[in-house]
Amino acid sequence: MNRCHCQSPVWADDKSIVGIEHDGFPNEDKFQLHLRNLLLERIMPSVADVIEFPMVTIDGKLICHVTCLQSKMEFWLKAEKNSNERFYIRVGPSSTELAPRDAVAYIKGHFSEQQHSGTK
């Protein structure tokens, strides 16, 4: 993961901040538990050590401030719970999925052999 600092408010159509209340979470603990479970379920290996997501208030709305710390290993995304893992890279302002062969080449070029998720 690249280092990024981004706030992730939920926006309404009129571009006002909606916050987590919009999704029906009764409190920030329930929201953070849901987000943590999604991250653990959908990103391999665990990203618990490289993602922080404290709650902050902006314009009176409670939102989640997501911070991704730089990682020394690759991460794979499962878009759906039972789907295959996929590898994405950042290209400018977008995320691009790499084909398996391209993912292997990218990982070999960006991560040392000892840091791969499948090796020790």
Side-chain angles (χ1 to χ4, degrees), residues 2-116:
N2 294 326
R3 184 163 183 77
C4 66
H5 290 278
C6 52
Q7 291 183 358
S8 54
V10 177
W11 299 96
D13 288 339
D14 65 0
K15 303 295 182 205
S16 62
I17 294 175
V18 177
I20 67 167
E21 300 86 5
H22 179 75
D23 288 322
F25 291 98
N27 58 51
E28 64 184 86
D29 287 340
K30 296 288 185 189
F31 173 84
Q32 287 181 308
L33 180 61
H34 176 70
L35 178 56
R36 180 183 178 281
N37 287 341
L38 283 175
L39 291 171
L40 292 174
E41 177 182 287
R42 305 282 174 92
I43 301 177
M44 296 350 129
S46 172
V47 294
D49 293 338
V50 295
I51 294 184
E52 300 168 347
F53 44 94
M55 304 306 289
V56 297
T57 301
I58 297 181
D59 294 340
K61 301 293 182 177
L62 189 61
I63 66 162
C64 184
H65 180 259
V66 177
T67 303
C68 304
L69 305 174
Q70 188 171 17
S71 174
K72 295 178 181 169
M73 57 198 256
E74 75 274 14
F75 290 95
W76 295 77
L77 173 69
K78 292 178 80 170
E80 300 294 329
K81 187 174 184 174
N82 296 318
S83 66
N84 291 330
E85 297 172 7
R86 296 175 177 198
F87 188 77
Y88 292 84
I89 61 170
R90 291 294 291 174
V91 178
S94 66
S95 296
T96 300
E97 181 180 359
L98 295 184
R101 181 184 305 248
D102 296 329
V104 169
Y106 181 89
I107 291 165
K108 284 182 178 179
H110 287 81
F111 302 100
S112 73
E113 189 64 33
Q114 299 152 346
Q115 296 166 337
H116 289 298

